[in-house]
Amino acid sequence: MPATEIYLDANATTPVIPEARAAAIAAMAGDFGNPSSIHGSGLKARAMMDNVRARARRVLDAPTGELLFLSGATEGIQTAVFSALTSLRSRQDRGEAMPELLLYGATEHKAVPEAIHHWRRLLNLDFEVLAIPVGRDGRHDLEWLRRQAPRAALVCTMAANNETGIISDLDGIQRALAGSPALWMVDGVQALGKLRLSLGDRPIDYAPFSGHKLYAPKGIGMLYVRAGAPFTALIVGGGQEGAMRSGTENMPGIAAMGAVLRLLEAGEQFQRADKLELYRARLAAAIREAFEGVVFNADPEITLPTTLNFSVPGVSSKVLLELFDAASIRVSTGSACGAHKAAPSYVLSAMGLESWRSASAVRLSFGPLTPPETVDEACLRIRQCGASLRDSCMTPSVQQHLLPMEPITRHVVDGAVCYVVADPASRRCLIIDPLPELTDPLVQWIRCCSYTLVAVLDTHSHGDHASSAAALWDSLPPVLGRQGETEPLGWPSGSDHIQLGAQRLTRLPIPGHTRDSAAYLLAGPYGLRAAFVGDTVMPGALGRSDFEVSEPLQFAGSLRLLERTVGRDAFLLPGHDYEGWHACTLNTEIAHQPLLSALLDHSMEAAAFAQAKAELERDLAPTEYQTMACGARVDRCSKAESVELTAAELASRTWAARKILLVDVREPYEQRLGQMPDIGTHVRRQAVPLSTLLSVLPDWLDLDAGTDLVLLCRSGNRSAQVARALRRLGQPRAWSLAGGLALWPTERPQSVPG
Ligand code: PLP
């Protein structure tokens, strides 16, 4: 791994700079007094606090009004919204005529709409809540706002957006609100230290700020409240902060905030906007060079000079994040990338950008203290990231690498699985169950690897997605893919097998899930390697048979035929794998699925089987991806088993005495950028990307009894998935390195301003 981490996620949080750390430590050590105490220690603490407040007023141009210290921007937002709505509630109780709209920018931080909905509900207010639309440039639709302004009771507009850095047109908003009865909140979190807000010169009623976005610690924030703006305390008690926010003040946080504000005021270390723009331009140039076809999602003219948000066609946010992380550059995805589905960014969606742009968006943000050397090093590594993608055949470039494909590669989209079966000697491959989302990446990959595509097969007519076989054929140049006559699911007409080098694929009709369901059996010189069974048998479920095109009464016969043809130990590769089990066998499924056991072990009748199955499938809920479920799951609980091993355990004497096979399951584009940690001579290393795991599965299940298999990845998610899958298939000595490379102990530099 590259030795040092480059932190380019300053819009999420920043490191605490040495000056702020020193100030916080002083406030915890010698100057630990409580500012409410009237003795010397207390007076000293109060003086420090007053000093910081005065400094904050100067920095924010807020000579009048209140400036409260509180825990952060989320609390500031709550307090502001609660104050505004409480005052509206009182007016409503008094029977006054009222404006009736609560408005917030469509790209606002979630804390804002959540707070509005929450307090509106709790205060029993009958107001309409509307999102102020934004244009493609990410800025508020001022005409819309002007039209609503006379009916608006509260308007919330951020000063700058956290995902895109787009700066709101506060002057324009102010003009649109002229004459409006609305209270106005401006979320100043991302603007602090980067934009002049001139709070005192604007009719802004509330403005929350957060320390940890500008080199102070987490847990300290500020809220500006205009003189005369309605206020109701959210927290009451000892009457601190003029009884506007009770609770003993966070003095270390306030001291640290003060140190940052001092630097900001002095204007020495904080770099000017023109310099930051230069850094951003350098980073943008490196990104352009690295990623062909990249698009930037915000106009730099109206964006914070410290934020870049971009999308790379054909490459998901998740892949880009993994790539950057492998190069030890910390960035953030524009979309909320859960473990399962990458939810498109609501910010980019609100701007009306195409869905692919939200699905592949990455945010890179640095701080006003980032030194030029960090920018230079980041540019270098970004170029390496681009090279790694190109070398992994993941960019649209026409270059050819003649990369060998593994015998079986799998790609998963929202639980649906597509397989590429390849023969490296003849450079021929075929695809089973193509998915529309994969058309471009697969075409790119096949082209770049210079393989000939000989067939595109579907295991059945899918209920949840269309086959993309035709699109695949259309996109490949004729030398790499040629379509002869085929049957509806893609099988070459008149053939009884497809030869792929030494491997041979045959077809076995197994109607049930659908009338046309088929399994494809892959046999090598040493016998059957795997059966692609579509949705007929999945780990933990049998394919549902309640579609119009299903044959429920033939399902039992098909399962028996499958058993007779492939046996109970053959690997069955499913068309859907929601839980990441990768493969199953009839034996594993008999152990986990009572209905299958009743059929195959206890000769249940086909009709009784169909009836019991129909019971299971009644009212099937959609999957966690909100796609249609392909079968009723009966096997959820086996995930509880712990498979994790910490780095300390692995380094311990007990483990040092064992034979270990340490496997990096990250993908090649990540592996190219960094190596595995060094653990010791007892450790054998291997790199097996998760997508090609099926190629080594038989070896790993057959590992000699003295060897433990320890899997590692970036964060520990993928390796845990593989370890659990291996255990389910009968390998009890499979482990996952807890927290992955992210938690691997490395020496970190003491101070790296981000
Ligand atoms: N508002 C914006 C624009 C933000 O970026 C954030 C943090 O991500 C918040 C509010 C919430 O701030 P805090 O973490 O201090 O609660």
Side-chain angles (χ1 to χ4, degrees), residues 635-716:
D635 162 37
R636 284 199 172 274
C637 52
S638 29
K639 279 208 152 178
E641 185 181 10
S642 169
V643 293
E644 294 201 323
L645 195 67
T646 63
E649 281 169 327
L650 195 54
S652 73
R653 219 158 349 126
T654 328
W655 281 84
R658 317 245 288 245
K659 267 195 293 176
I660 292 174
L661 175 59
L662 183 68
V663 184
D664 184 350
V665 299
R666 293 176 307 155
E667 295 301 317
Y669 55 85
E670 299 166 88
Q671 293 180 356
R672 283 195 169 85
L673 289 163
Q675 300 123 25
M676 280 192 263
D678 203 357
I679 293 177
T681 47
H682 62 298
V683 175
R684 204 154 43 94
R685 293 147 180 255
Q686 202 178 342
V688 179
L690 182 70
S691 58
T692 61
L693 177 73
L694 297 169
S695 306
V696 294
L697 213 49
D699 297 343
W700 285 359
L701 293 179
D702 236 9
L703 217 56
D704 74 86
T707 301
D708 284 276
L709 188 60
V710 180
L711 305 145
L712 72 89
C713 64
R714 185 178 73 85
S715 67

Side-chain angles (χ1 to χ4, degrees), residues 10-13 70-77 107-112 158-163 187-191 208-213 217-222 363:
N11 289 9
T13 196
L70 28 66
S71 67
T74 300
E75 187 190 332
I77 290 165
T107 59
E108 211 72 14
H109 188 276
K110 281 290 173 211
V112 173
M158 61 197 341
N161 184 269
N162 44 309
E163 267 189 37
D187 174 345
V189 170
Q190 297 294 344
F209 299 92
S210 184
H212 73 102
K213 308 284 184 175
K218 290 147 194 76
I220 182 68
M222 300 184 290
R363 174 186 74 188

Side-chain angles (χ1 to χ4, degrees), residues 57 62 64-68 76-77 79-81 83-85 87-88 91 152-157 170 173-174 177 180-188 197-209 222-232 244:
R57 283 188 180 283
T64 59
E66 299 293 340
L67 198 82
L68 309 181
I77 290 165
T79 308
V81 170
S83 294
L85 297 201
S87 123
L88 291 167
R91 290 173 58 190
L154 173 67
V155 172
C156 303
T157 53
L170 291 184
I173 295 171
Q174 184 174 333
L177 292 180
S180 165
L183 292 162
W184 184 19
M185 180 179 85
V186 172
D187 174 345
L197 285 183
S198 307
L199 290 177
D201 298 337
R202 297 185 194 278
I204 293 173
D205 294 286
Y206 310 99
F209 299 92
M222 300 184 290
L223 176 66
Y224 161 78
V225 183
R226 190 180 56 78
F231 189 88
T232 306
M244 295 173 85

Side-chain angles (χ1 to χ4, degrees), residues 464-525:
D464 62 344
H465 66 268
S467 164
S468 50
L472 267 167
W473 285 122
D474 285 351
S475 307
L476 274 177
V479 285
L480 298 181
R482 204 173 304 117
Q483 190 172 22
E485 284 294 301
T486 62
E487 295 176 21
L489 294 180
W491 189 262
S493 303
S495 308
D496 66 352
H497 72 276
I498 299 172
Q499 198 71 36
L500 214 54
Q503 307 189 82
R504 188 183 170 93
L505 198 78
T506 51
R507 178 172 55 158
L508 182 72
I510 44 171
H513 176 59
T514 62
R515 199 165 297 142
D516 60 4
S517 287
Y520 299 112
L521 316 184
L522 184 68

